[in-house]
Amino acid sequence: NVNSNVADDTLYHATLDGDNPQALFVQPGLSGMAADGADGNLYWAVFGEGAIRTSRFDGSAERVIVQGLSSPVEIAVDAANGKIYWADFVDNLIARANLDRSGFEVIVAGQQAQNGAQTAVQIYGSRAQQAGDVNAQVLMRPWGIALDLVNEKVYWTEQTGNRVARANFDGSGEQTVVSVADSLDGPRGLAVDP
């Protein structure tokens, strides 16, 4: 069992009963977290640093997977296909990269709130490939993210857009699943049960 305490920026390890909590490390700006139980790897987003990191469950072998991001908040891992997905709250995008640190792709992008750019390539330059239909919907402040590994869909919540949306793993086929008309108010987290 691994959990985080945003108030003291600490990532903890404990048993499922909560016994024997141990601080793995302090990480200012700690936000989203995901785990790959089969391989024993932990992944987390660091909002303030603009990075996504990984380590073993015991905190060893820590390394950066992606850096130079604006504001990654939540992440999801597809370990079988070697991919990590994240929601970037400020740059209004859903992106992914390979777990080996290659293949940075923006799969869904809205208008960038921070600097007015229209595409991820304008923000990140040649290190990001633009995928998917960037004009499918207006992406507004994405936060939560979850993967449907069976149907190869990525789901996300939008705080300002007040919707839950999804797209294929490559960013195509974006659609709204639930919207403000269904009384959402700044949704953050979500889970998918295919």
Side-chain angles (χ1 to χ4, degrees), residues 1-3 11-15 18-24 57-59:
N1 180 21
V2 178
N3 65 68
L11 196 64
Y12 292 93
H13 181 270
T15 66
D19 296 332
N20 196 27
Q22 299 171 358
L24 293 178
F57 280 165
D58 65 4

Side-chain angles (χ1 to χ4, degrees), residues 83-86 94-98 103-107 131 169-170:
K83 300 275 187 191
I84 189 160
Y85 293 75
W86 66 92
I94 305 297
R96 70 180 178 181
N98 295 325
F104 179 166
E105 287 183 290
V106 172
I107 60 171
F169 278 175
D170 66 1

Side-chain angles (χ1 to χ4, degrees), residues 2 9 20 30 41 45 63 80-81 84 93 119 121 125 134 145 149 164-165 168-169 173-174 176 178 181-182 186 194:
V2 178
D9 293 320
N20 196 27
L30 179 65
N41 291 321
R63 67 182 173 90
N81 291 307
I84 189 160
L93 54 88
T119 69
V121 172
V134 297
I145 192 164
L149 299 174
V164 174
N168 297 319
F169 278 175
E174 180 186 347
T176 298
V178 182
D182 300 298

